[in-house]
Every structure is written in structure tokens, then in C-alpha cells.
Amino acid sequence: MLFDKNIFSMIILYRPITIIKEENEISVKPNSREAILKTAAQLFFTQGYHATGLNQIIQDSKCPKGSLYYYFPSGKEELALECINSIKKIVLDKWKEHFGYKQNAADAIQSFIEALADDAVRSDFEGFMPFNFWMAAETSPISDKLRKTCQTVFAEWQSIIADHLVLGGIPADKAKEKAVVIVSLLEGALILTLTNKDKETLLTVSSYIPCIVNN
Amino acid sequence: MLFDKNIFSMIILYRPITIIKEENEISVKPNSREAILKTAAQLFFTQGYHATGLNQIIQDSKCPKGSLYYYFPSGKEELALECINSIKKIVLDKWKEHFGYKQNAADAIQSFIEALADDAVRSDFEGFMPFNFWMAAETSPISDKLRKTCQTVFAEWQSIIADHLVLGGIPADKAKEKAVVIVSLLEGALILTLTNKDKETLLTVSSYIPCIVNN
């Protein structure tokens, strides 16, 4: 499975803490930080930032309220920033994996997209798909901090693609352009895939990757 | 201006009504329906479905609460369905406009994208852009009715592009594929454009249209 949910828990650093019990009954469980981040990322990236309330995160993560405010004292935006950075890394690692086992950059990009398509089917077109990053458009107008963090995510995804296109002999300026086209294509294709509940769009755009890379 | 806000009011059918004043002080103003739809569409398509509450629509449209429940008795979902259908038509008309004044399909698609880019700049990358349709991904998991309506929107946009590619001599099956790629590309490029607050992504993807159309 391309984006196994367990991968997420692996990349979040476990920060051991002591259990705190204060007058006002704030309790913090060890492992809470990890559980909160995992739950929050899944909610933000499936139903969106606005639709996700702190109460739902607390409820779904089965963590005490105190943990959320202990680890993320600034609340939802801080939590979202951390989730976005984690997602960025998960997807970068996936790109590295595909570029690692395919010699040719176009082949690697196609294999990445096909794995995305399988993932979409497996999640019944509703589950957690880190590369599905429309949250960037949702949050951009309301928080410049979130917008800039999402901007970095797209830039780093483009950068790893461009670097591998350059390794394949494409001039740097063209490689940069093609990476922009490829990330745009995949983000849009994911919107259509989830709307149609059908992996066909992803497979169709995948078949156009050689054309984009080689022309 | 590609998507002038006034265009929206032009396409919504004006339904004249009598002013109703009931015991419970529900008041309905003429033109309310139009104002509610215009406001709702702008809110849904900039901040998203979840972020938009009925109270904000009432407040921003300056219409009495009674009007909203009079015209849209089933509430937010019904209102969103009507907005989505209106947006579909606005964008279809824009496609027709560009295909109308350019002989070559690739030229028409590029001119559509360049107009989108100008629109994004004019709206300071935050305003109402009907083609920016990530709301489809946001609403798909929560309402099958909304999902199916969004699916029709994408299908009709693809269909007009494919028809014009066929007119340009491209076989129907290939034209259909290319239309899927083009709509995906534009939807994704809009997400990146709004996140980067820079029209460069749209201009870059525009320069790849001839490659996608002709290969």
C-alpha cells in the first residue's frame, strides 16, 4: 500500500512525557502527541481543515483534551502546520522510493501515479491520501502561515521531480517547468478521481507522462 | 474580465415573488433568491462548503432569513446543488466563448487558461473563480448527491473540450482522454496558483497544451 497509515506514525517523533494531573483535571497520556497528529492529519486531509474541529480530533484520537492543549497550545493552526510538514515528508519519501527503483524518471513518475490510483481504490475513494492536497486551496485565504507552509510542500515535491528529470538529461529550466506541470496534473487528477470514484482519471494522466517529460 | 461577478446574476433566473409576511415574521424580499445564490456561490467557491454557514450567507446577502428557507427549504445542500449547476453553466459559456473566437482548439484552451490567470491576479488570488472546483473533493465524502452533481460538471467541461478537439481532427477516443488530462491539469494548477499567489503555474501549464493536444 503506497501510503500505509502506519507510515505516518513512524515518522512522527515520539516525545516521552510525564503524566500531568493538575487541579483542573488536565491529563496528558504518553503517545498522545502521536495519536493526535495521526488523527488530525487523517481528518484534515480527507474532510478538510474547516470541517475538522478540535473536539472531533480529541474524540477520534481517544486522547484527553489536556493532551491536545499541552502539545499544541496554539490550537488548530499549529496542529495543521505540523500535519502538513509530516505529510510533505511522507510524500517525499514515496517519491524517493519510486525514483529509487526505476531507472527512467518518466517510469518512476508513472509508477508513483499507478500506486496512487491503487491507493484511491483501496481507500474506497474517501480515505487518507496524503498527496491529495486540496487543503492548500482551502486554507490559503484564511492563514498566510498555512499558505506558505503548503507552498513549501509543493515546491519540495516539484524539486525532487525536477532533480530526477535533470539526472535523465533534461535541462534544469525545462525540468522545473515539467515538474510544475506534473504536480498540477496529479493534484487535479486526484480531485476528479475522488469525485468520480474511479481510478480511470489517474491512469489516463499517467499515460501522458512520457509526452510531458519528453517534449 | 473572464468571470465577472455580474455574469453570475445574469444566468440565475429571476423568479418574481410576492412579499409574504406571516405570523412568525418570515419576510421574503423580491430578488432575494438571486442575491442568496450569488452570495452562496462566492462563499462556497472561495472558502469551501464546510466553512460556509447559512448565517453567513444570510448576513452577506443582506436578505432576511425567511427568504433563504423559502427558496431553499432543504437548506445548505440544496443551495450548494443550485450553485454548482450555475457555476457549471458559467464555465461552459466561457469555454464556448474561447472556442468561438479561436480557430484552433489548442489556441482556444490556452486563451481560456490565460484568462483564468488574469482573473486570479485580479481577484488577488483569493476571490471567486468558478473554475476553481476543489469543493468537489471536499464534498464528495459527505454527500453523494453533491458528488454526483460535481461529477456531471467535470464531465460536461471535458465534453466541450473533447468536441472541439474532434473538430480539429483528433479521433474521439483520444480527444476524450486529452480532455480529462486538460481539466485535471487546470484544476491542479489553480490549487498551486492560489497557494503560491502567483500566476506562473497557470502560464507554465498553458505552454504545455500544444504538447498534450498534438501528441
Side-chain angles (χ1 to χ4, degrees):
Chain A
M1 187 176 189
L2 178 62
F3 293 117
D4 193 311
K5 289 176 187 175
N6 296 327
I7 293 168
F8 191 81
S9 55
M10 285 158 58
I11 67 119
I12 298 164
L13 290 172
Y14 169 60
R15 174 147 54 116
I17 57 137
T18 48
I19 296 174
I20 296 167
K21 197 90 178 171
E22 288 175 7
E23 275 180 304
N24 53 0
E25 287 296 83
I26 289 177
S27 66
V28 180
K29 278 201 313 189
N31 286 328
S32 284
R33 188 172 185 275
E34 189 182 348
I36 291 166
L37 272 175
K38 192 176 162 183
T39 305
Q42 288 183 28
L43 293 171
F44 286 145
F45 285 81
T46 46
Q47 63 186 29
Y49 182 78
H50 280 103
T52 304
L54 293 181
N55 283 339
Q56 193 185 2
I57 297 169
I58 290 162
Q59 208 170 4
D60 289 11
S61 66
K62 297 185 175 48
C63 289
K65 209 176 210 169
S67 293
L68 197 147
Y69 294 106
Y70 174 82
Y71 290 117
F72 306 99
S74 306
K76 193 170 156 182
E77 191 190 50
E78 185 186 8
L79 189 51
L81 286 168
E82 188 117 8
C83 288
I84 291 167
N85 281 320
S86 298
I87 292 298
K88 177 180 77 180
K89 196 179 167 325
I90 291 176
V91 175
L92 277 175
D93 287 347
K94 283 292 140 192
W95 277 116
K96 282 178 197 159
E97 192 183 312
H98 288 269
F99 282 122
Y101 68 74
K102 294 271 182 189
Q103 275 278 314
N104 178 289
D107 289 349
I109 297 163
Q110 286 186 296
S111 115
F112 179 93
I113 302 173
E114 281 149 29
L116 261 187
D118 289 342
D119 238 30
V121 174
R122 229 178 266 118
S123 80
D124 202 22
F125 301 98
E126 288 186 8
F128 177 49
M129 297 188 62
F131 193 74
N132 181 25
F133 211 66
W134 56 266
M135 196 182 125
E138 184 203 9
T139 51
S140 283
I142 55 151
S143 158
D144 215 48
K145 221 187 247 180
L146 287 174
R147 184 185 72 75
K148 284 181 177 154
T149 309
C150 292
Q151 193 174 3
T152 312
V153 174
F154 286 133
E156 292 195 25
W157 291 350
Q158 284 163 32
S159 184
I160 193 171
I161 297 170
D163 289 350
H164 283 85
L165 293 174
V166 168
L167 284 175
I170 292 168
D173 55 340
K174 283 308 233 182
K176 214 172 153 187
E177 263 182 31
K178 288 172 195 292
V180 168
V181 173
I182 291 162
V183 171
S184 298
L185 190 59
L186 299 198
E187 287 299 330
L190 265 170
I191 293 182
L192 270 75
T193 297
L194 300 181
T195 306
N196 296 337
K197 286 189 177 260
D198 184 336
K199 69 174 179 174
E200 214 44 55
T201 302
L202 278 167
L203 299 184
T204 302
V205 306
S206 175
S207 71
Y208 277 74
I209 293 298
C211 150
I212 292 162
V213 167
N214 302 319
N215 284 285
Chain B
M1 189 175 187
L2 178 60
F3 293 117
D4 195 310
K5 288 174 187 174
N6 296 327
I7 294 169
F8 191 81
S9 55
M10 286 158 58
I11 66 118
I12 299 163
L13 290 174
Y14 169 60
R15 173 148 56 116
I17 57 138
T18 48
I19 296 174
I20 294 166
K21 198 91 178 170
E22 288 175 7
E23 273 180 304
N24 54 359
E25 286 295 273
I26 288 176
S27 67
V28 180
K29 279 200 311 188
N31 287 327
S32 284
R33 188 172 184 276
E34 188 181 348
I36 290 166
L37 271 176
K38 191 176 164 185
T39 304
Q42 288 184 27
L43 293 172
F44 285 146
F45 284 81
T46 45
Q47 63 187 28
Y49 181 78
H50 281 103
T52 304
L54 293 181
N55 283 339
Q56 193 185 2
I57 296 170
I58 291 161
Q59 207 170 5
D60 289 10
S61 66
K62 298 186 174 49
C63 289
K65 210 177 206 168
S67 293
L68 197 146
Y69 293 105
Y70 174 82
Y71 289 117
F72 306 99
S74 305
K76 192 170 155 183
E77 192 190 49
E78 186 186 6
L79 190 50
L81 286 169
E82 188 116 8
C83 289
I84 291 167
N85 281 320
S86 299
I87 293 297
K88 178 180 77 180
K89 197 181 166 325
I90 291 176
V91 175
L92 277 176
D93 287 346
K94 283 293 139 191
W95 277 116
K96 281 177 198 160
E97 192 184 311
H98 288 270
F99 282 121
Y101 67 74
K102 294 271 181 189
Q103 275 280 315
N104 178 289
D107 288 349
I109 297 163
Q110 285 187 295
S111 116
F112 179 94
I113 303 173
E114 281 149 29
L116 261 188
D118 289 341
D119 238 30
V121 174
R122 229 179 266 117
S123 81
D124 202 21
F125 301 97
E126 288 185 8
F128 176 49
M129 297 187 63
F131 193 75
N132 180 27
F133 211 66
W134 56 265
M135 196 182 124
E138 185 202 8
T139 51
S140 282
I142 55 151
S143 158
D144 214 47
K145 220 187 249 181
L146 287 174
R147 184 184 72 75
K148 283 180 179 158
T149 309
C150 293
Q151 193 174 3
T152 312
V153 175
F154 286 134
E156 292 195 25
W157 292 349
Q158 284 162 32
S159 185
I160 193 170
I161 298 170
D163 289 350
H164 283 85
L165 293 175
V166 169
L167 284 175
I170 293 168
D173 55 339
K174 283 310 235 182
K176 213 172 154 188
E177 263 184 32
K178 288 173 196 293
V180 169
V181 173
I182 290 163
V183 171
S184 298
L185 190 58
L186 299 198
E187 286 300 329
L190 265 170
I191 293 182
L192 270 74
T193 297
L194 300 181
T195 306
N196 295 337
K197 287 190 176 254
D198 184 336
K199 68 174 180 175
E200 213 44 57
T201 302
L202 278 167
L203 299 184
T204 302
V205 306
S206 175
S207 71
Y208 277 74
I209 293 299
C211 150
I212 292 162
V213 168
N214 302 319
N215 284 284

